[in-house]
Amino acid sequence: MEHSPASVPAALPYYVAFSQLLGLTVVAVTGAWLGLYRGGIAWESSLQFNVHPLCMVIGMIFLQGDALLVYRVFRREAKRTTKILHGLLHVFAFIIALVGLVAVFDYHKKKGYADLYSLHSWCGILVFVLYFVQWLVGFSFFLFPGASFSLRSRYRPQHIFFGATIFLFSVGTALLGLKEALLFKLGSKYSTFEPEGVLANVLGLLLVCFGVVVLYILAQADWKRPSQAEEQALSMDFKTLTEGDSPSPQ
């Protein structure tokens, strides 16, 4: 079904609203899990570790997912405004995730625990580094004024692909961490349907559902933000004006 440039696809608002409901539920259930079964959150105590899962869920899952949806939600706003919002959400996600990383490393140091030995920790460091690199490269190409429009156009498909891949990787890493936390505490009791295990399993399913809905929205070609007349003038420098390039939708 085709849509005029100014129109919003009929189903898009419902999928976006559903994604936000799922995302907020993920954050709420994470808080409930930590509050009910892990004692809550505090920085200067044994509860410092709990800062890690909460910050990672808020930053690397919820806010990162929302940052990816910016170009689907804000369809009529100026392209530069949308870019800045997209970049800022990623910055907030990165800062919150960094707090979560500092919390877990500081907790391990105080307790004398080993660092970076599990698959979860390896994946976590990798996805965090990739996320930072993706943001730096994206800033250099799309917000820094030095990049030409033709160069941005060539890099855009890679930026979109790696953005979705890193988000998917983040969800998978969260699932690994959730299972690791359950096995450490519950051990063999995990198989007896302990209430904490059941709640955490529900949280895992919610994480998967949020990831799937976000990626589904991104995958719909006719839901992409339509090109606007002012984008070419704002994006192209003198050199690319002579090349005859045209903007493509995000």
Side-chain angles (χ1 to χ4, degrees), residues 188-215:
S188 61
K189 292 182 179 180
Y190 188 23
S191 63
T192 64
F193 292 92
E194 285 284 312
E196 178 181 358
V198 173
L199 179 62
N201 286 348
V202 171
L203 173 57
L205 290 176
L206 288 169
L207 284 165
V208 171
C209 290
F210 178 68
V212 168
V213 172
V214 169
L215 292 177

Side-chain angles (χ1 to χ4, degrees), residues 138-169:
F139 177 83
S140 301
F141 274 85
F142 299 115
L143 284 174
F144 192 73
S148 69
F149 184 81
S150 59
L151 188 60
R152 295 174 186 177
S153 296
R154 286 194 294 268
Y155 172 67
R156 185 178 291 112
Q158 285 73 36
H159 182 73
I160 294 171
F161 170 79
F162 283 111
T165 300
I166 291 169
F167 175 67
L168 182 62
F169 196 5

Side-chain angles (χ1 to χ4, degrees), residues 42-59:
W43 191 268
E44 296 295 338
S45 74
S46 60
L47 301 177
Q48 183 181 14
F49 176 83
N50 294 343
V51 175
H52 174 71
L54 184 61
C55 284
M56 290 306 181
V57 165
I58 294 173

